[in-house]
Amino acid sequence: MRRLLPILLLLLAGPASAALAPAALDGVALEPPPGAALPLNTSLQVGEQNASLRAILAARPAWLLVFADYTCAGVCGPALGIAASAFSSPDMQDLDAGLLVIGLDPKDTAADAARMRAETWGNAADPRAVFARTDKASVAKLTEAVGYRYRYDSETDQFAHPAAALSITREGRVVRPLGALALMPNTLRKALVEASGGHAGGLFERISLRCYSFDPARGVYTADIVLVLRALGVATLLGLALLLALLMRRTAGKEAV
């Protein structure tokens, strides 16, 4: 039930900025351009410390990137809660991957970021989660680089923004956009294994990832039945070949006696 709570809250949450006109909301989207990559020289603040994006990402081979408003009254908290629940799943414990949250509002303070981290992630000592802030120009540069389009409503001091995340490599390259409701352990694990470029997950897991196709409309991985059937066919043929070899060896042994 605890894992379902963030999902229920996200479904029940109202629009991030109801005062915005429909025409403005039409521009809210996440559409990474081909070859999208984050500018690694961007300076971020983590707590009261400064660090470059390059240094933060270098710590792990794969990351889930979420842009959030640390004082958001809408979807940010539930979306981060879903991500945190996925990372806390036993299925994710062996995976060397992290969550990077970057604040959209340059007015948000270190206390605001710490409060949202406590409400969604909980474990302040866990190095896998980084809640960062930066200035207005850097926010614009980061979001533009990955095709993350949002709108600010000055009347409510809230942001209308995509309820989505990005799996990225340690070099800042965008691998997959993921809808907030798609951040389940199985889907998130596949996205991070793919982002790691072979440095996370087991060999079989990296091979089996080839049997999944990505549905960009839903932001999730789906089984590719053709690849699955081919894999099963190859496994069946190998099994039959092994069985035949064993039978021939046994027959040859009997004839020798």
Side-chain angles (χ1 to χ4, degrees), residues 65-90:
L65 170 64
V66 178
F67 290 101
D69 176 6
Y70 290 134
T71 59
C72 177
V75 302
C76 290
L80 286 174
I82 293 174
S85 294
F87 271 94
S88 66
S89 167

Side-chain angles (χ1 to χ4, degrees), residues 2 30 50 56 106 124 128 137 158 165 240 247 253:
R2 185 179 178 183
L30 175 58
N50 291 325
I56 291 172
R128 294 180 301 166
Q158 295 288 305
L240 289 173
L247 291 174

Side-chain angles (χ1 to χ4, degrees), residues 25 54 58 109 113 120 122 156 234 254:
L25 293 175
R54 185 190 311 275
T109 65
T120 57
T156 62
V234 170
K254 289 182 178 179

